[in-house]
Amino acid sequence: CAGEEDKPSRRRTIRPEQVRSETLRAFIDGVTLEGVWQSNPVPVDFSSFMSSMTRTFSADSAGVNRMGQNLAVVSDRYLHLSLKLGYHFTLIDCYRSEDDSRNSVQFRFAGGVTGAVRRSRRARFLFEVLKGFDFSVTVKDDLVVARAKGWMARDLNRLMRILGLLVAYTRQLDVSMVSDSRIFEHCQDFEHIAEEAMGN
């Protein structure tokens, strides 16, 4: 949490260095790593784009004006992030206990701007990466649900940094998933990025 003098009611922006939550700081470290975000324009075929527009907007009961809004609920032990980045949605819940065996983190991911095949390939990429970091993962179409509990989540800062990297790396990734071979290529690329980021 931010300090008393930096309450959101008194300041419109809280800088990363003012965040006291270790798990949120770890996520910020991952999501802001230089070179992870895809910044180049990506080609999207018209039919996929229109299909995604219809699917996303109809599912968003709040309306188009809420697209892109993000939410963070932060305390000394609990962190909830609800993120809309373009046309995909990410939810992260993290609980830190004094007893490491009770630590937990949950990650949910769905959506995309392309058709079902490319979105499902991105989901399979996420499955492979998250399994490699000790998450229990289930995938259905483009929906990915991953959990780490107990001793598997004892190093929450490490897991939250990885999730930060994934949130940044997977933005618009479905567009590049033109074949199944791209899943393996992106897994290798992300493994290299994660090794450098974690200092391995």
Side-chain angles (χ1 to χ4, degrees):
C1 299
E4 187 71 19
E5 69 278 8
D6 300 311
K7 286 183 177 180
S9 59
R10 299 183 184 181
R11 185 186 297 271
R12 296 183 63 88
T13 302
I14 296 176
R15 298 186 301 273
E17 61 269 20
Q18 295 173 298
V19 175
R20 293 184 178 179
S21 166
E22 291 185 11
T23 50
L24 181 55
R25 282 207 311 267
F27 178 83
I28 292 171
D29 287 345
V31 81
T32 59
L33 184 69
E34 185 176 354
V36 178
W37 284 89
Q38 167 63 261
S39 58
N40 297 326
V42 292
V44 179
D45 63 273
F46 183 75
S47 60
S48 290
F49 179 75
M50 292 305 295
S51 173
S52 180
M53 290 275 286
T54 304
R55 181 181 63 257
T56 303
F57 291 166
S58 63
D60 184 7
S61 59
V64 179
N65 62 324
R66 293 186 61 86
M67 289 295 292
Q69 293 188 359
N70 301 315
L71 170 70
V73 178
V74 190
S75 73
D76 57 342
R77 295 189 180 277
Y78 176 70
L79 170 64
H80 170 84
L81 296 174
S82 177
L83 307 174
K84 290 183 179 181
L85 300 173
Y87 293 91
H88 71 261
F89 305 82
T90 302
L91 293 176
I92 298 174
D93 278 292
C94 178
Y95 176 73
R96 178 188 296 276
S97 172
E98 293 180 357
D99 178 0
D100 285 350
S101 67
R102 298 178 60 192
N103 288 348
S104 67
V105 58
Q106 177 171 296
F107 173 87
R108 293 173 63 92
F109 182 102
V113 73
T114 60
V117 174
R118 294 192 192 187
R119 297 197 317 271
S120 67
R121 286 175 181 144
R122 176 167 58 181
R124 286 162 56 193
F125 159 79
L126 286 166
F127 174 86
E128 296 296 337
V129 168
L130 291 165
K131 288 287 287 185
F133 288 100
D134 298 328
F135 282 87
S136 172
V137 192
T138 58
V139 176
K140 182 177 181 181
D141 300 325
D142 65 0
L143 172 63
V144 180
V145 179
R147 299 178 179 87
K149 295 181 178 181
W151 292 107
M152 304 303 285
R154 63 188 179 274
D155 189 351
L156 285 180
N157 291 349
R158 172 177 174 268
L159 294 183
M160 290 301 295
R161 192 172 293 110
I162 290 298
L163 292 183
L165 289 170
L166 271 177
V167 167
Y169 187 87
T170 52
R171 179 179 177 267
Q172 298 181 333
L173 190 69
D174 54 325
V175 176
S176 72
M177 291 295 192
V178 295
S179 67
D180 287 348
S181 65
R182 296 292 287 160
I183 299 171
F184 177 70
E185 292 171 6
H186 280 296
C187 283
Q188 285 190 314
D189 185 39
F190 186 83
E191 181 180 359
H192 177 70
I193 291 172
E195 285 178 352
E196 289 194 348
M198 306 302 289
N200 293 337

